[in-house]
């Protein structure tokens, strides 16, 4: 029988034997990949029924292979441990191979490891396609893409009890470093495993890229700003002259180019900006992501990270000092900087850049956050007093209120500003890894630990600031170790008996009620009292009186050349809305509206998302606000109690200075009613709020909004 005839016969014979593959909708492309692999195996003379060479490398040779791949082993081992935690007790194992298909490391369920050893799924054995026929490891190396090989899709009959899901691991230049694979009993196949494998391979690639390009600028980008800082973000490595020298797979997907093609670009040709402009904007740790456009016109949000102490621009005679705090040490999901934007952050950063000296960076980060709200001003005044006084700060507040933004501002204003700011989100790191992340580890501390160990986040922050976000989510068992480290100012890496001295300023943050957690026994009381040297609480946005200032600042940052204003209707929506997502939500709503406005001078309800409008209208209704038709702006709203007061009071009793004109806008009527009530109450806001039937915050907000709009 000729080879094409053999292949056709196999297709017909196996067509009904892939129920799982069909259920997954892997499609015709997958079947073609498997068939082409079988054809290659037959062409080189592999037998489906005869056993192949299963002999592993000898110990010296395996040690040589591991030594050559020590860096890959170092980056992959912790990720493999985390991946295995997700599939434990599923008759599976996790494997790491080098670029030739030789297994470097494996972990798995004990009972399945015994089965796997019968087909030589163990370190030192080569699983290239030429050795073991069609299998996920070998076929992924040839096709250079993730692949599933299920049951009888394996070329060798001996391997058909397996299901294998593998993803190649690539460096920032597109070269294959190795393969990450999950193999298990085909009867315990899980559809979600392939997603976990690809995600884990991407984590390894991102760690490799960060390690490879720690001395250059890294641009973290995504079409949606909220995905910056997650595994979905693209990462571009940019040299000081603007050349793009590397990219991860997500970045290639975003820009639509191959690894070789993207390295033909500069940051100017790809994103329409320059290294100098990026340094100017992101020298401030408070700077918001930039909205840039790709050559095809697609919008791309970008955040730059770099740890240059100085930066020499092309043609510049003197160095420009750069804040080291712009480097964020943690790249796992959930550690991205807060999305809330402080007033004037970008403006202050640009002003600092224009002076060209270190003193220019001294513009206070805390001052940029002080946008007129009395509660926020009180918080800032308190933290200013303890900066550089060796007092631990604990920040409380709802999600999105800007706790990390405040922590970065504190660091920025401290004497440690030139040293690292290391943020660790205690809720986002898997529990099995958080101890190694914080304290580091020595060689042999756990399976796959690298020869010289790894530096933990606490030691990375030595000399600078350690920000422990969501400290309330730290595992109870680890809290004792953290307490000891804070008290003794030293850490002991996992697997080591040697203590290392550290000097860090600690800022904690949480949205949880730690006192309730202490009562419930889920948070240590002694750690709480070690962290709460100064406790401050950031107010939710609904309680702040500086919403107009924040809104203008965010819009100015989004559209610096032609900043739009809010229509009266949108302004009323914003005043009445409860803002459950706080400043982060406000920033996202305004950035989206600015994009929808597309250069228009005014943001109207047409530029807001439908779900936000529905929520805002519900808030208006629940607050007893009555809709009125206002032709110039669409629907608008006024407090029913305020309207009643204006209508009921005889015109003769209204002072001329407070009376609204006959053809006044609804806003002017509201302000006149509020001022009249204040005048009648002798300036007592509590009395005025009772007479109008509205809250004191409403009076504060409307008066500030009116004053801000006039200004």
């Amino acid at each position: 029988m000729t080879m094409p005839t053999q292949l056709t016969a196999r297709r017909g014979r196996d067509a009904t034997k892939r129920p799982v593959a069909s259920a997954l909708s892997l499609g015709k492309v997958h079947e073609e990949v498997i068939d082409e692999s079988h054809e290659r195996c037959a062409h080189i003379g592999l037998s489906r029924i005869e056993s192949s060479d299963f002999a592993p490398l000898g110990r010296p040779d395996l040690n040589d292979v591991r030594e050559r791949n020590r860096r890959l082993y170092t980056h992959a081992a912790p990720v493999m441990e985390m991946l295995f935690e997700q599939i434990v007790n599923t008759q599976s194992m996790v494997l790491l191979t080098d670029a030739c298909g030789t297994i470097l490391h494996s972990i798995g369920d004990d009972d399945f490891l015994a089965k796997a050893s019968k087909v030589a799924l163990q370190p030192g054995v080569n699983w290239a396609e030429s050795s073991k026929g069609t299998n996920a490891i070998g076929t992924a190396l040839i096709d250079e893409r993730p692949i599933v090989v299920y049951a009888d899709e394996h070329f060798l009959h001996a391997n058909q009890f397996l299901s294998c899901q593998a993803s190649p691991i690539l460096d920032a230049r597109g070269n294959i470093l190795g393969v990450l694979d999950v193999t298990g009993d085909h009867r315990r196949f899980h559809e979600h495993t392939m997603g976990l494998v690809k995600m884990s391979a991407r984590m390894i690639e991102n760690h490799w890229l960060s390690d490879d390009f720690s001395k250059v600028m890294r641009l973290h980008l995504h079409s949606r700003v909220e995905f910056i800082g997650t595994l979905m973000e693209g990462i571009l490595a940019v040299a000081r002259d603007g050349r793009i020298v590397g990219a991860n797979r997500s970045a290639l997907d975003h820009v639509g180019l191959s690894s070789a093609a993207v390295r033909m670009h500069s940051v100017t040709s790809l994103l329409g900006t320059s290294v100098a402009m990026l340094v100017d904007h992101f020298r401030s740790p408070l700077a918001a992501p930039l909205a840039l456009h790709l050559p095809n016109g697609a919008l791309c949000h970008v955040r730059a990270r770099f740890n240059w102490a100085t930066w020499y621009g092309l043609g510049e005679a003197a160095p420009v000092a750069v804040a080291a705090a712009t480097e964020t040490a943690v790249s796992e999901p959930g550690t991205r900087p807060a999305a809330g934007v402080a007033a004037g952050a970008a403006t202050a950063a640009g002003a600092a850049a224009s002076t060209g000296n270190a003193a220019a960076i001294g513009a206070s980060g805390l001052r940029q956050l002080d946008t007129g709200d009395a509660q926020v001003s009180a918080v800032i005044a308190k933290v200013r007093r303890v900066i550089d006084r060796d007092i631990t700060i604990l920040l409380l507040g709802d999600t999105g209120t800007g706790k990390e933004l405040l922590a970065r501002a504190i660091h920025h204003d401290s004497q440690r500003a030139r040293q690292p700011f290391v943020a660790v989100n205690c809720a986002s790191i898997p529990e099995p890894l958080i101890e190694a992340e914080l304290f580091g580890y020595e060689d042999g501390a756990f399976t796959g630990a690298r020869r010289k160990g790894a530096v933990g986040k606490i030691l990375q922050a030595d000399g600078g600031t350690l920000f422990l976000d969501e400290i309330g989510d730290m595992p109870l068992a680890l809290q004792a170790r953290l307490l000891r480290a804070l008290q003794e100012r030293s850490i002991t890496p996992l697997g080591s008996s040697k203590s290392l001295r550290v000097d860090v300023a600690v800022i904690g943050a949480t949205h949880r009620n730690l006192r309730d957690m202490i009562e419930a026994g889920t948070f240590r009381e002694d750690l709480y009292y070690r962290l709460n040297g100064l406790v401050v609480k950031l107010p939710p946005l609904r309680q702040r009186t500086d919403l107009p200032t924040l809104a203008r600042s965010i819009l100015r940052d989004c559209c610096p050349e032609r900043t739009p204003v809010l229509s009266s209707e949108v302004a009323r929506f914003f005043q009445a809305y409860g803002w459950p997502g706080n400043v982060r939500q406000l920033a996202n709503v305004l950035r989206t509206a600015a994009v929808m406005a597309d250069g228009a001078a005014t943001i109207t309800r047409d530029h807001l998302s439908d779900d936000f409008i529905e929520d805002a209208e519900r808030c208006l209704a629940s607050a007893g606000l009555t809709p009125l038709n206002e032709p110039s702006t669409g629907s608008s709203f006024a407090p029913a109690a305020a309207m009643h007061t204006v209508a009921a009071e005889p015109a003769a009793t209204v002072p001329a200075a407070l009376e609204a004109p006959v053809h006044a806008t609804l806003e002017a009527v509201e302000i006149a009613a509020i001022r009249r009530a204040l005048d009648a109450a002798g300036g007592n806001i509590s009395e005025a709020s009772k007479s109008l039937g509205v809250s004191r915050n409403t009076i504060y907000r409307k008066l500030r909004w009116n004053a801000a709009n006039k200004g």
Side-chain angles (χ1 to χ4, degrees), residues 14 74 390 416 521 611 672:
D14 293 350
T74 297
D390 195 24
R416 299 172 180 265
D611 62 335

Side-chain angles (χ1 to χ4, degrees), residues 276-277 279-281 283 316 320-321 347-357 360-361:
M277 291 175 64
V279 169
D280 286 350
H281 183 77
R283 71 173 66 249
E316 290 185 354
V320 177
T347 305
S354 65
T355 62
N357 56 52
I361 302 176

Side-chain angles (χ1 to χ4, degrees), residues 278-318:
L278 291 168
V279 169
D280 286 350
H281 183 77
F282 289 105
R283 71 173 66 249
S284 167
L286 308 176
L290 285 173
L292 303 174
H293 287 86
L294 297 168
N296 62 6
L299 180 67
C300 191
H301 298 278
V302 176
R303 181 183 294 279
R305 294 178 182 170
F306 45 89
N307 58 2
W308 302 333
T310 57
W311 178 74
Y312 292 85
L314 297 180
E316 290 185 354

Side-chain angles (χ1 to χ4, degrees), residues 20 90-92 112 115 150-151 160-163 184-190:
V20 173
T90 61
Q91 291 284 300
S92 302
F112 183 75
K115 297 178 184 178
Y150 175 77
Q160 291 183 0
F161 73 98
L162 302 172
S163 68
D185 189 314
H186 76 281
R187 293 169 298 182
R188 301 291 297 274
F189 184 89
H190 288 278

Side-chain angles (χ1 to χ4, degrees), residues 34 37-38 40-41 46 95 97 101 121 126-142 147-150 153-156 159 162 164-166 179 181 183:
I34 297 297
S37 174
H38 277 250
R40 289 192 298 268
C41 296
L46 286 180
L95 298 147
T97 80
L121 271 168
N126 184 271
W127 274 73
E129 198 176 77
S130 59
S131 172
K132 298 296 183 293
T134 304
N135 71 90
I137 293 171
T139 307
L141 284 171
I142 290 178
I147 189 170
V148 176
V149 178
Y150 175 77
E153 291 180 337
H154 288 86
F155 186 80
L156 300 184
N159 296 336
L162 302 172
C164 306
Q165 298 164 81
V179 172
D181 170 89
T183 291

